[in-house]
């Protein structure tokens, strides 16, 4: 008992040291504090992970930030950075979480202390995509590449989804995982049965205490995804990819089609394509996997999420890290505050989950080819061609988000006279003062424990 009391006192002191000498509870519960941080009420929060430390050298919200008016830096101690302002007359906060699911989860938790004043949340970032909707090979039953090119994925293409799947929720015994190596047209072992069961029941999905299916979208979140999809024509405003990016994309697909003996063609200068919430989902891992077997498995997980059945021929998997942390934070916030905040995830293609071409050996086995050499214009950059591709993907995804807010402003201007149009999403019902204080106390304790585990 004494140990527990001392631990609570120690963690309370730690919490106060993080937030300063002012009363920590007041910080958490004060409307004034929240509206100062958020810039008002009924605010849209846009989360991104990379502040510009990776390829490209610009943050994943760079082009949105250029359009933000009345910008003001604000501080959420658990986040890398935050800026609030006005975006096409909407109140917006741009939050950079830092990379990785745990980092993102802690930052999102802190921001959602102010759930009562948040209208919606969005997460955007770059990701590795399946190179083709439905894949190139679909092991183990279909090892013949399709005759028709179908929907080939290009750099800058976007996935809109309400789903984040934890790819790491599976067994990985070497004798099973690598049993069919080096045959690319095979599956790398079957995930343990509990994971398959979990995939088919998103509401109760768990595997040995882990969350495998970190999502359960309500109608408002689905509506937000559809509203985002309705703004997809704004990607046409993005300038064609730079010459080096087009050259790299043509180089990639030229090598791939040669390996599979197909005559597919791709328009390297076309505007980014947007995949809707029934076509794609985010599959997260901090284990950076590539290859046909893994991509096929990921698309199978996606098909469970969006359709409830394992149909790998109709889906695209976007591989990243932060979505599961973001979704877990949203769910915990809802459990504590009782407020369900609409959410959506956007990912833009910056690389492919099958980076090397595959080809059929004389014995019928499909093998992975050598890495594709970079075009001279990108090889000279010294970063593997990542910078121009990543910058273009960021611009593409940012343009879609900007399009959504511009659409809202146009709709408001055309339907309302003398006042701002009401939001497509009504403000959330607020709890009574006594209930809010009780919830904040719970939040305070949870935050303390979280900080303690991270630091110790």
């Amino acid at each position: 008992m004494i140990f527990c009391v001392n631990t609570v006192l120690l963690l309370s002191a730690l919490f106060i040291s993080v937030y300063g000498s002012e009363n920590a509870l007041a910080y958490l519960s004060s409307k004034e504090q929240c509206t100062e941080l958020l810039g008002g009420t009924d605010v849209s929060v846009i989360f991104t992970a990379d502040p510009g430390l990776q390829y490209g050298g610009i943050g994943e919200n760079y082009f949105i930030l250029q359009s933000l008016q009345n910008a003001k830096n604000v501080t959420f101690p658990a986040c890398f950075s935050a800026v609030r302002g006005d975006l096409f007359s909407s109140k917006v906060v741009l939050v950079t979480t830092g990379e990785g699911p745990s980092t993102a989860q802690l930052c999102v938790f802190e921001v959602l202390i102010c759930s009562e004043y948040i209208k919606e949340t969005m997460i955007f970032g770059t990701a590795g995509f399946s190179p083709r909707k439905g894949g190139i090979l679909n092991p183990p039953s279909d090892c013949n590449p399709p005759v028709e090119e179908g929907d080939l994925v290009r750099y800058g293409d976007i996935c809109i989804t309400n789903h984040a799947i934890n790819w790491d929720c599976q067994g990985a015994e070497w004798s099973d995982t690598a049993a069919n190596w080096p045959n690319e047209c095979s599956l790398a072992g079957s995930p343990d049965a509990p994971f398959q069961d979990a995939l088919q029941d998103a509401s109760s999905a768990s595997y040995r205490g882990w969350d495998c299916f970190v999502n359960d979208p309500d109608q408002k979140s689905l509506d937000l995804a559809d509203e985002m999809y309705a703004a997809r024509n704004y990607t046409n405003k993005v300038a064609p990819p730079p010459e080096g990016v087009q050259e790299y994309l043509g180089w990639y697909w030229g090598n791939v089609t040669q390996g599979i003996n197909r005559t597919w063609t791709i328009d390297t200068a076309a505007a980014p394509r947007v995949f809707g919430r029934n076509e794609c989902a985010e599959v997260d891992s901090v284990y950076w996997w590539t290859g046909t077997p893994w991509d096929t498995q990921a698309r199978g997980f996606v098909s469970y999420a969006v359709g409830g059945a394992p149909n790998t021929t109709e889906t695209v998997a976007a591989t990243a890290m932060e979505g599961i942390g973001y979704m877990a934070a949203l769910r915990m916030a809802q459990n504590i505050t009782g407020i369900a905040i609409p959410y959506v995830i956007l990912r833009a293609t910056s690389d492919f989950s099958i980076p090397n071409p595959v080809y059929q050996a004389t014995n019928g086995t499909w093998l992975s080819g050598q890495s594709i050499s970079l075009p001279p214009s990108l090889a000279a950059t010294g970063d593997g061609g990542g910078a121009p591709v990543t910058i273009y993907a960021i611009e593409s995804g940012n343009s879609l988000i900007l399009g959504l807010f511009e659409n809202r402003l146009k709709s408001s201007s055309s339907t309302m006279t003398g006042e701002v149009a009401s939001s497509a999403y009504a403000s959330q019902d607020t709890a009574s003062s006594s209930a809010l204080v009780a919830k904040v106390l719970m939040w305070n304790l949870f935050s303390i424990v979280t900080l303690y585990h991270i630091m110790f």
Side-chain angles (χ1 to χ4, degrees), residues 52-392:
L53 303 179
Q54 299 295 327
Y55 293 137
I58 64 172
E60 289 176 319
N61 58 19
Y62 177 84
F63 297 97
I64 301 173
L65 187 59
Q66 305 310 303
S67 298
L68 196 67
Q69 297 181 329
N70 304 315
K72 180 180 179 179
N73 292 324
V74 293
T75 300
F76 292 97
C79 303
F80 189 91
S81 65
V83 184
R84 65 171 172 82
D86 301 316
L87 195 63
F88 293 102
S89 298
S90 294
K91 296 292 183 184
V92 169
V93 182
L94 305 180
V95 178
T96 301
T97 65
E99 294 187 278
S102 299
T103 302
Q105 183 174 349
L106 182 60
C107 169
V108 174
F109 265 129
E110 185 184 13
V111 175
L112 295 183
I113 289 169
C114 297
S115 289
E116 185 178 358
Y117 312 105
I118 295 175
K119 168 186 177 179
E120 63 197 358
T121 60
M122 308 172 190
I123 183 171
F124 167 72
T126 60
F129 273 51
S130 307
R132 178 182 180 276
K133 181 181 176 182
I136 298 174
L137 305 177
N138 276 284
S141 60
D142 187 0
C143 292
N144 293 313
V147 175
E148 300 297 328
E149 59 200 51
D151 294 326
L152 304 184
V153 177
R154 300 166 297 214
Y155 299 124
D157 283 1
I158 297 169
C159 168
I160 300 173
T161 183
N162 299 110
H163 299 282
I165 303 163
N166 191 343
W167 187 86
D168 295 333
C169 287
Q170 58 180 293
E173 296 181 13
W174 177 253
S175 59
D176 186 26
T177 299
N180 296 314
W181 185 87
N183 185 10
E184 286 281 310
C185 196
S186 63
L187 290 180
S190 298
D192 289 352
F195 182 52
Q196 294 288 10
D197 294 340
L199 283 173
Q200 298 180 63
D201 184 7
S203 62
S204 61
S206 64
Y207 174 71
R208 296 179 184 174
W210 302 342
D211 288 317
C212 298
F213 228 104
V214 195
N215 50 266
D216 188 14
D218 60 11
Q219 189 59 50
K220 289 184 178 180
S221 296
L222 298 176
D223 290 344
L224 177 57
D226 290 341
E227 185 187 10
M228 187 73 73
Y229 186 73
R232 63 191 180 279
N233 288 337
Y234 279 84
T235 61
N236 293 328
K237 295 184 178 182
V238 178
E243 180 180 349
V245 176
Q246 292 191 46
E247 187 179 2
Y248 195 9
L249 187 62
W251 204 275
Y252 174 84
W253 279 110
N255 279 270
V256 170
T257 53
Q258 182 179 359
I260 62 175
N261 193 27
R262 293 291 185 267
T263 56
W264 297 346
T265 59
I266 187 166
D267 184 357
T268 60
R273 175 190 288 107
V274 180
F275 294 102
R277 61 180 175 85
N278 293 320
E279 300 175 281
C280 66
E282 178 169 330
V283 183
D284 285 335
S285 177
V286 293
Y287 178 76
W288 289 34
W289 49 266
T290 60
T292 299
W294 294 137
D295 177 66
T296 304
Q297 184 168 302
R299 285 184 285 108
F301 296 164
V302 171
S303 68
Y304 272 114
V306 303
N311 181 0
T312 61
T313 63
E314 298 295 332
T315 53
V316 171
T319 65
M321 294 187 289
E322 293 79 23
I324 55 175
Y326 167 77
M327 300 290 287
L330 278 171
R331 185 170 56 191
M332 182 61 73
Q334 180 177 347
N335 291 342
I336 293 175
T337 66
I339 300 173
I341 300 175
Y343 68 88
V344 68
I345 300 173
L346 283 83
R347 292 292 181 182
T349 314
S350 59
D351 53 47
F352 296 117
S353 56
I354 305 177
N356 302 333
V358 294
Y359 67 96
Q360 193 170 25
T362 54
N363 64 356
T365 299
W366 285 89
L367 302 176
S368 175
Q370 295 180 346
S371 299
I372 299 173
S373 300
L374 289 174
S377 60
L378 291 183
T381 66
D383 63 0
V389 170
T390 301
I391 291 172
Y392 180 72

Side-chain angles (χ1 to χ4, degrees), residues 430-439:
T430 59
S432 66
S433 297
S434 58
L436 179 60
V437 170
K439 292 171 182 175

